[in-house]
Amino acid sequence: MALLQELDTGTPIRTGEPTVTLTIDGRKVSVPPGTSVMAAAALIDNPIPKLCATDNLEAFGSCRLCLVEIESRKGTPASCTTPAEQGMVVRTKTPRLERLRRGVMELYISDHPLDCLTCSANGDCELQTQAGNVGLRDVRYGYDGAKHSQGPIDASNPYFSFESSKCIVCSRCVRACEEVQGTFALTILGRGFGSKVATGGVDFLSSECVSCGACVQACPTATLNEKPVIEHGTPDRTVVTTCAYCGVGCSFKAELKGDEVLRMVPYKAGKANEGHSCVKGRFAYGYATHKDRILKPMIRGRIEDPWREVSWGEAIAHAANEFKRIQSQYGRDSAGAISSSRCTNEEVFLVQKLVRAGFGNNNIDTCARVCHSPTGFGLSKTFGTSAGTQDFKSVAKADVVVVIGANPTDAHPVFASRLKKRLRAGARLIVVDPRRIDLVRSAHIKADQHLTLKPGTNVAVLNAMAHVVVTEGLVDEAFVRERCEIGNFESWARFVADPRHSPEATAAATGVDPLELRAAARLYATGGNAAIYYGLGVTEHSQGSTTVMAIANLAMATGNIGREGVGVNPLRGQNNVQGSCDMGSFPHEFSGYRHVSNDTVRETFERLWGVPLSNEPGLRIPNMIDEAIDGSFKWLYVQGEDIAQSDPDTTHITAGLKAMECVIVQDLFLNETARYAHIFLPGASFLEKDGTFTNAERRISRVRKAIPPLAGMADWEVTMALANALGAPMRYNHPSEIMDEIAATTPTFKGVSYARLEELGSIQWPCNDAAPTGTPVMHVDHFVRGKGQFMLTEYLATEERAGPRFPLLLTTGRILSQYNVGAQTRRTASTVWHHEDVLEIHPFDAEQRGVRDGDLVALASRIGEISLHASVTERVQPGVVYTTFHHAVTGANVVTTDNSDWATNCPEYKVTAVQVRRTNHYSDWQQRDREEGVSLRRMAKELADAAE
Amino acid sequence: MDIHEYQAKELLSGFGVNVPRGGVAYSPEQAVYVATELGGWHWAIKAQIHAGGRGKAGGVKLCRTYQEVAAAAKGMLGHGGIVVFDDSVDMARQARFAFEFCAKESCGKCTPCRIGSTRGVETVDKIIAGRDRERNIQLVRDLCEVMTDGSLCALGGLAPLPVLSALDHFSEDFARAPARAAAE
């Protein structure tokens, strides 16, 4: 479609019934109370000229362009700051207003460069538009007066430029950074004529700016402009799609010129993000056209051989032949697949269908194994469903927010902005994290309690909180009686009331001050609407599932389920990990979380697909690796997943991969897993295909093809080709047909179709006859399983303990600018931030070891050793160290153990006993890795050239 | 004279001299109260300052309604009220000063005051220098309308009052030859 312009009402749309009726230029309009006159006029397509107003920011009243005349009121009030009132009669176009508006524009232009024709905002500039709108012909002040035309250009940020000479000091950027993003990195320095936008005395890159781009989007002139637009000009068409980074799932308008994406602009109508985004989604899309992209299929005999480019037909045929050979030689269960949590729902559905219908087994797993599988287990046991209970918007109604094992500022930035907005408005915050994350203390935000527990003690802390709730009489009896299994609750209440679970008794193990813990528990139980948000700091533990159940117990006991502002909210990581789980990428479940041994369900699929299906659960990823080392698992199809970098105990993973006979990797780049692959199938990025992603809110959103697939095939087409070659025929002309099949076989998706998605924009499952437009908040009247079930959650300390050899505890996490294994973000300009993983270590621990900030240190666990630079900081507590895993060369997972959650095998990334010492060289693993990185990635350039 | 008019009247009436009835007010509300006490249908609101020529400077206002009384009293008792000079004053420079003061004090939030006050100084300078007088005087008047009606607060909103007052009642100061400036 041509460039999509969204309506900007100038001031925020208020929710509520349109009970205020006013007349604007003779036309009546009804709006909810609190709506401004400006917004009311915009809604009836009679826009009032404006420059300092935009509808994701509160009214400011600075430009004075939006003046109107209101009957029986003096003067010419600004329509942005004037709320509509019943019976008001407004005129927006009179000779006096015309003179005033032209006078204001004349003043603006008297201090503005006149290079419109060569300006990067030519054709896309609100100042230009308004000057034309008011009929400005003459700037009688002349151009010799005081001016800001010599302002410097700050191009330090890799993605956008700040050209201060074009600034009209409308403060939209400052307000966007405050109100929308919540970082407060910008301000207006000086006053009067000398006012100017500043980033606190340093340039953009060195400032507190997190490069979210809200200011660039808000800026009405060329002052803050995206670099691609400056370089290439304005885009001419829009494709609305969904971000492929994290589980917030922001909606974007990809604005292109031809087949080149010039910028990604957040889509205001996107319900997850409502017009906001972070640095990754907005700016870091360059990896899709990076030179590292592999665009042709490749095969090789042994992994030490160089890669050989081949045609799609040859690659697929080779994969199929190898499959048949291996399955006949080693048996039915010797083959399996790992689906991607970043590919679309349709693509994941096809991969699990390929495994079940094509291989005849259930050896299908996905990366949710290593992140939120405990959520699936824990919430299905307690509530009956494997997903979060709210939508993101619900946080606006929360009075108390608990953030446990999550760092939304870095990992779910757009959600964090919503959370911060609510916190600034007065909601209270409890943070449970061993580390001092940003939310504990940042601009205008202060956590009421920060429980700095020792890594691995989540269950003890939650049991202690439950102990307080039960023993101090803070249980919501009415809710429990009505909505939960009462016998169950009583045995749980007896369990947590035991003195061994009291805050005082657990303090020694957890390291949490009992008074702080009691205060936190009381606040959660009595502070009003209380919501819990959690992340991998909860799930990636040996008691991950137990922790999730403990969280669910707390929410049920205090009645914080079933309405807006409360709930249990897992912050799911990947853009489609929720969808990947929904589609049945589990060895034990079909789509919709139905067990493979469920005969009725299995028979539906058998009838539809025309083949018998196995009713035995298959291999999980760790099992696949173990079986490979044992010699019985030989053929693996990995789509969009890098187990060699992201799974724990790297040495074990690579040993498993090396033991296989045919590893097929389908990805954008030659990632770490591809080093051990025999067939490489080029993947398609989110810009190159149609499909749907499901975000952490269970929201299914469209992904739309903006450019043709660079390698010639979309990922679902590749899986289809493979299936056809294997004799498990698939015939789909378009992903919508795959979605239709999903809807026909999966009750929670019954009402979903591409036509419906076009209509509604996005749909939160369950979407069926009972909920035809989807379900924002779950468990409203009753839990999915009927009555909520309380689970007994005994604390069992992990086997991984600090000891004399390994006295520190390592925990891991992510930062804002890089994404997970960095496969995408390392191939964009975002490398200017965080170009290496560093080890955060407390000053006490650093001093004991003679480590200074920036020193190279060796990080050793009983599993392995790596070297990296140290960052001495008090953000971690004594006894705990922290690092990220964004760079393959760091090898963070060389040191993580094979401990995992008892129920789901989710690895215990968050607790590893380590020792840190100064060193002067990189570890053996890192040296070997560097060599293999070259030797196992060689391309047969000579052969390819000769073939042409 | 070192006493105010109202003090003089008190003095004189104490000696039996017939003086017009009147009362002192320190706020627009008090002025209306005094007017109602006095009765009648015509009042003169007179600024009490130690100077002559009040009428010419707008310091004497004839009012026929209570609203006019309140408005007249307001105009003289608050911001933008009476300023007193001797006859060597150059009202063009005073107009420039009004703009300059506004520019210095301006917070910078709204455009009419932020940019307008600076442009006001520059334009008055051009008038004083004799450049394009007619056009620039009209420009100043237009600017004053934008600032009066468009400013966010009273700083920019009332800054034009002395400027317009100077233009209206002391236009001769804006028409002086620029020779003196050139000689400096």
Side-chain angles (χ1 to χ4, degrees):
Chain A
M1 60 166 95
L3 215 51
L4 174 65
Q5 300 287 4
E6 293 185 273
L7 174 65
D8 184 346
T9 53
T11 56
I13 313 264
R14 303 291 180 210
T15 46
E17 287 305 304
T19 53
V20 176
T21 306
L22 65 159
T23 310
I24 302 180
D25 291 337
R27 285 167 59 199
K28 277 199 167 15
V29 54
S30 297
V31 290
T35 307
S36 70
V37 171
M38 175 187 275
L43 288 171
I44 52 169
D45 204 18
N46 183 11
I48 300 170
K50 63 177 180 67
L51 274 176
C52 74
T54 184
D55 62 13
N56 62 348
L57 303 173
E58 294 296 332
F60 196 54
S62 141
C63 68
R64 315 313 290 175
L65 208 55
C66 69
L67 310 177
V68 291
E69 288 186 33
I70 302 179
E71 211 170 85
S72 78
R73 290 198 195 187
K74 277 180 21 171
T76 50
S79 54
C80 61
T81 47
T82 307
E85 280 174 43
Q86 182 64 27
M88 225 182 212
V89 177
V90 180
R91 282 186 308 152
T92 71
K93 297 170 185 45
T94 66
R96 181 184 182 195
L97 293 173
E98 196 179 308
R99 275 199 315 273
L100 289 174
R101 293 191 188 124
R102 198 176 303 142
V104 168
M105 288 310 301
E106 195 177 12
L107 287 171
Y108 268 126
I109 304 299
S110 74
D111 181 23
H112 198 79
L114 291 176
D115 57 350
C116 275
L117 290 178
T118 47
C119 174
S120 64
N122 189 6
D124 186 26
C125 173
E126 290 185 45
L127 190 70
Q128 193 180 46
T129 309
Q130 294 307 334
N133 187 351
V134 306
L136 184 70
R137 298 287 160 259
D138 196 11
V139 177
R140 298 167 290 170
Y141 301 104
Y143 300 103
D144 302 321
K147 287 169 79 80
H148 295 103
S149 58
Q150 299 308 317
I153 298 182
D154 177 351
S156 59
N157 185 294
Y159 297 117
F160 61 85
S161 234
F162 173 58
E163 211 179 325
S164 58
S165 61
K166 303 243 165 98
C167 179
I168 59 171
V169 202
C170 64
S171 297
R172 271 159 65 160
C173 56
V174 176
R175 289 145 58 206
C177 194
E178 291 179 358
E179 292 176 40
V180 177
Q181 168 60 19
T183 298
F184 292 79
L186 297 175
T187 186
I188 301 290
L189 210 55
R191 66 181 173 88
F193 193 79
S195 302
K196 54 181 187 162
V197 173
T199 44
V202 292
D203 64 20
F204 259 95
L205 195 60
S206 325
S207 72
E208 287 171 343
C209 164
V210 294
S211 194
C212 72
C215 59
V216 180
Q217 185 180 340
C219 180
T221 63
T223 307
L224 283 162
N225 222 353
E226 295 95 348
K227 285 185 176 172
V229 170
I230 296 175
E231 219 179 292
H232 299 291
T234 43
D236 55 30
R237 68 184 180 99
T238 305
V239 174
V240 177
T241 186
T242 306
C243 183
Y245 274 112
C246 85
V248 174
C250 296
S251 280
F252 276 97
K253 294 183 288 187
E255 296 191 348
L256 307 99
K257 194 207 286 290
D259 277 345
E260 186 173 357
V261 174
L262 289 186
R263 61 182 173 195
M264 301 287 281
V265 181
Y267 190 41
K268 280 202 286 216
K271 302 249 174 58
N273 59 325
E274 293 181 311
H276 190 41
S277 76
C278 80
V279 57
K280 300 184 289 288
R282 193 194 290 263
F283 294 125
Y285 53 85
Y287 67 87
T289 45
H290 194 267
K291 61 177 169 58
D292 280 356
R293 276 287 294 269
I294 306 293
L295 299 177
K296 291 207 165 55
M298 306 188 296
I299 61 182
R300 59 184 177 182
R302 300 168 314 133
I303 63 176
E304 294 81 12
D305 297 338
W307 283 107
R308 208 164 45 86
E309 283 180 359
V310 296
S311 69
W312 276 107
E314 196 181 329
I316 301 282
H318 183 60
N321 289 340
E322 282 291 89
F323 174 82
K324 290 176 186 142
R325 174 181 74 77
I326 286 169
Q327 224 188 21
S328 68
Q329 191 178 343
Y330 295 97
R332 194 192 61 162
D333 293 330
S334 61
I338 298 176
S339 72
S340 176
S341 55
R342 314 186 49 75
C343 285
T344 63
N345 287 321
E346 294 77 5
E347 285 159 354
V348 173
F349 189 76
L350 288 193
V351 173
Q352 62 90 33
K353 181 176 175 179
L354 170 69
V355 170
R356 298 192 153 114
F359 302 1
N361 60 35
N362 281 309
N363 293 344
I364 171 74
D365 203 1
T366 184
C367 93
R369 176 70 42 216
V370 306
C371 75
H372 265 284
S373 47
T375 294
F377 181 84
L379 292 186
S380 74
K381 278 266 172 282
T382 48
F383 298 160
T385 195
S386 302
T389 62
Q390 322 286 124
D391 56 7
F392 289 134
K393 214 160 149 178
S394 142
V395 74
K397 298 250 170 74
D399 301 308
V400 178
V401 175
V402 178
V403 175
I404 170 169
N407 181 9
T409 315
D410 281 79
H412 294 86
V414 173
F415 168 69
S417 295
R418 282 185 189 267
L419 172 59
K420 284 185 172 179
K421 199 165 183 165
R422 180 64 189 145
L423 293 174
R424 287 195 302 272
R428 319 276 293 281
L429 175 66
I430 300 166
V431 174
V432 184
D433 198 298
R435 213 172 142 247
R436 194 186 76 225
I437 59 173
D438 170 83
L439 272 181
V440 172
R441 189 78 183 93
S442 68
H444 300 277
I445 304 284
K446 188 160 181 287
D448 286 71
Q449 265 87 35
H450 178 199
L451 307 182
T452 48
L453 73 180
K454 295 202 185 115
T457 59
N458 289 331
V459 175
V461 169
L462 287 166
N463 282 344
M465 284 180 73
H467 176 93
V468 175
V469 169
V470 169
T471 56
E472 291 189 13
L474 303 175
V475 173
D476 184 340
E477 307 270 345
F479 181 89
V480 171
R481 234 189 337 268
E482 192 201 322
R483 300 281 307 264
C484 308
E485 306 219 358
I486 199 70
N488 212 251
F489 163 74
E490 280 166 3
S491 69
W492 175 79
R494 270 194 302 275
F495 163 73
V496 285
D498 188 297
R500 74 176 190 281
H501 294 305
S502 73
E504 292 72 20
T506 51
T510 62
V512 175
D513 180 303
L515 289 174
E516 284 287 300
L517 201 154
R518 282 192 182 269
R522 287 169 196 152
L523 181 57
Y524 175 71
T526 61
N529 284 343
I532 303 181
Y533 290 89
Y534 72 90
L536 305 186
V538 158
T539 56
E540 288 176 351
H541 283 273
S542 57
Q543 278 203 302
S545 295
T546 316
T547 316
V548 174
M549 295 192 291
I551 289 174
N553 290 340
L554 258 182
M556 285 191 287
T558 53
N560 280 310
I561 298 277
R563 58 186 192 281
E564 284 192 291
V566 298
V568 174
N569 301 271
L571 290 171
R572 312 230 41 175
Q574 307 277 16
N575 56 311
N576 200 30
V577 65
Q578 179 69 52
S580 176
C581 299
D582 299 339
M583 293 297 110
S585 283
F586 284 131
H588 66 298
E589 280 174 346
F590 288 115
S591 61
Y593 305 98
R594 298 165 294 173
H595 205 275
V596 293
S597 65
N598 181 327
D599 293 331
T600 333
V601 174
R602 201 177 60 257
E603 272 153 23
T604 325
F605 285 111
E606 282 177 342
R607 257 198 311 279
L608 188 62
W609 296 345
V611 283
L613 302 176
S614 164
N615 63 350
E616 284 170 24
L619 299 170
R620 300 170 171 171
I621 297 176
N623 305 140
M624 289 181 195
I625 299 295
D626 292 338
E627 297 286 299
I629 291 180
D630 262 354
S632 55
F633 186 86
K634 293 288 182 186
W635 189 101
L636 180 66
Y637 171 39
V638 183
Q639 187 184 68
E641 173 75 10
D642 192 0
I643 54 174
Q645 189 179 345
S646 58
D647 282 42
D649 197 357
T650 311
T651 319
H652 186 64
I653 302 285
T654 50
L657 288 168
K658 280 182 187 161
M660 295 184 206
E661 288 186 13
C662 183
V663 176
I664 305 168
V665 168
Q666 182 176 356
D667 209 290
L668 303 180
F669 308 105
L670 272 182
N671 56 21
E672 311 316 298
T673 310
R675 289 192 204 174
Y676 311 100
H678 307 87
I679 303 176
F680 187 92
L681 301 174
S685 75
F686 76 111
L687 292 169
E688 299 159 50
K689 56 195 179 183
D690 283 306
T692 55
F693 290 149
T694 307
N695 76 351
E697 293 172 304
R698 297 166 278 109
R699 185 185 299 281
I700 305 160
S701 300
R702 275 303 310 280
V703 177
R704 292 189 179 89
K705 183 153 82 172
I707 56 182
L710 269 63
M713 286 175 83
D715 295 327
W716 60 274
E717 292 176 311
V718 175
T719 310
M720 208 166 66
L722 192 54
N724 287 328
L726 286 177
M730 292 184 187
R731 253 171 282 282
Y732 302 98
N733 295 314
H734 190 269
S736 59
E737 293 171 24
I738 307 174
M739 180 51 83
D740 290 338
E741 185 172 321
I742 296 168
T745 53
T746 320
T748 44
F749 279 69
K750 185 155 175 236
V752 180
S753 68
Y754 277 36
R756 204 89 171 94
L757 284 168
E758 289 297 322
E759 227 186 299
L760 296 173
S762 60
I763 301 173
Q764 284 175 274
W765 64 256
C767 173
N768 43 31
D769 299 328
T773 54
T775 316
V777 176
M778 291 192 77
H779 319 296
V780 173
D781 299 311
H782 55 87
F783 288 98
V784 167
R785 71 182 297 285
K787 297 232 180 209
Q789 179 166 221
F790 283 83
M791 304 293 291
L792 295 184
T793 51
E794 187 68 63
Y795 169 59
L796 269 170
T798 167
E799 282 172 12
E800 192 66 18
R801 319 251 168 111
R805 267 184 75 206
F806 301 107
L808 303 171
L809 287 178
L810 168 73
T811 187
T812 53
R814 330 161 140 64
I815 58 144
L816 171 69
S817 53
Q818 296 291 344
Y819 186 74
N820 281 9
V821 298
Q824 296 157 296
T825 47
R826 275 184 286 120
R827 293 179 171 98
T828 65
S830 291
T831 45
V832 72
W833 295 285
H834 199 81
H835 64 280
E836 60 168 354
D837 298 317
V838 295
L839 186 74
E840 285 189 3
I841 178 169
H842 192 274
F844 294 168
D845 297 323
E847 194 178 316
Q848 277 183 334
R849 293 161 174 77
V851 169
R852 288 159 313 175
D853 194 55
D855 279 352
L856 189 67
V857 294
L859 180 70
S861 74
R862 57 185 170 78
I863 304 291
E865 181 178 312
I866 57 171
S867 303
L868 68 172
H869 291 107
S871 163
V872 179
T873 168
E874 284 188 39
R875 267 219 298 246
V876 284
Q877 47 174 285
V880 175
V881 291
Y882 168 91
T883 189
T884 51
F885 59 106
H886 301 301
H887 294 267
V889 297
T890 317
N893 280 316
V894 168
V895 304
T896 51
T897 69
D898 56 0
N899 287 343
S900 65
D901 176 58
W902 60 272
T904 61
N905 279 154
C906 182
E908 191 167 51
Y909 289 115
K910 301 296 182 178
V911 189
T912 311
V914 292
Q915 175 59 289
V916 172
R917 62 173 205 283
R918 285 183 57 196
T919 185
N920 61 1
H921 63 88
Y922 285 90
S923 70
D924 293 338
W925 181 88
Q926 283 165 309
Q927 320 265 36
R928 264 202 320 274
D929 179 74
R930 217 147 287 196
E931 283 152 17
E932 269 191 353
V934 174
S935 67
L936 296 182
R937 280 213 180 109
R938 289 176 304 134
M939 310 278 268
K941 273 288 167 313
E942 313 79 19
L943 290 173
D945 291 334
E948 279 156 26
Chain B
M1 282 186 290
D2 268 348
I3 56 174
H4 287 298
E5 177 182 2
Y6 75 92
Q7 292 166 317
K9 281 165 78 173
E10 267 173 40
L11 214 55
L12 289 169
S13 79
F15 283 96
V17 177
N18 272 348
V19 293
R21 288 187 309 135
V24 184
Y26 294 91
S27 74
E29 290 74 35
Q30 281 189 353
V32 173
Y33 177 71
V34 171
T36 46
E37 286 285 286
L38 290 175
W41 57 89
H42 248 124
W43 306 272
I45 310 294
K46 305 165 89 175
Q48 298 295 285
I49 50 166
H50 288 144
R54 286 175 300 174
K56 251 179 113 181
V60 176
K61 289 240 158 61
L62 294 171
C63 306
R64 281 186 177 73
T65 66
Y66 293 126
Q67 283 88 335
E68 282 179 38
V69 167
K74 233 189 280 192
M76 287 177 268
L77 292 168
H79 171 57
I82 298 269
V83 181
V84 180
F85 305 99
D86 63 29
D87 59 7
S88 66
V89 68
D90 177 349
M91 290 310 291
R93 294 217 177 272
Q94 290 307 318
R96 182 196 194 278
F97 174 68
F99 275 130
E100 192 189 4
F101 179 80
C102 181
K104 280 218 171 79
E105 296 296 321
S106 171
C107 78
K109 181 167 175 180
C110 78
T111 307
C113 175
R114 180 181 75 245
I115 306 184
S117 51
T118 301
R119 295 290 173 247
V121 173
E122 292 165 4
T123 314
V124 172
D125 275 342
K126 289 179 194 167
I127 296 171
I128 291 173
R131 287 163 48 193
D132 237 336
R133 269 210 180 117
E134 290 302 307
R135 221 168 142 265
N136 280 323
I137 288 176
Q138 183 54 48
L139 179 57
V140 168
R141 287 191 183 280
D142 289 348
L143 174 60
C144 285
E145 187 190 11
V146 174
M147 286 180 73
T148 305
D149 289 351
S151 290
L152 184 57
C153 80
L155 181 74
L158 296 182
L161 274 187
V163 177
L164 288 171
S165 205
L167 276 173
D168 287 339
H169 301 289
F170 301 97
S171 53
E172 63 275 15
D173 284 359
F174 291 85
R176 294 220 192 111
R180 224 189 319 164
E184 284 160 21

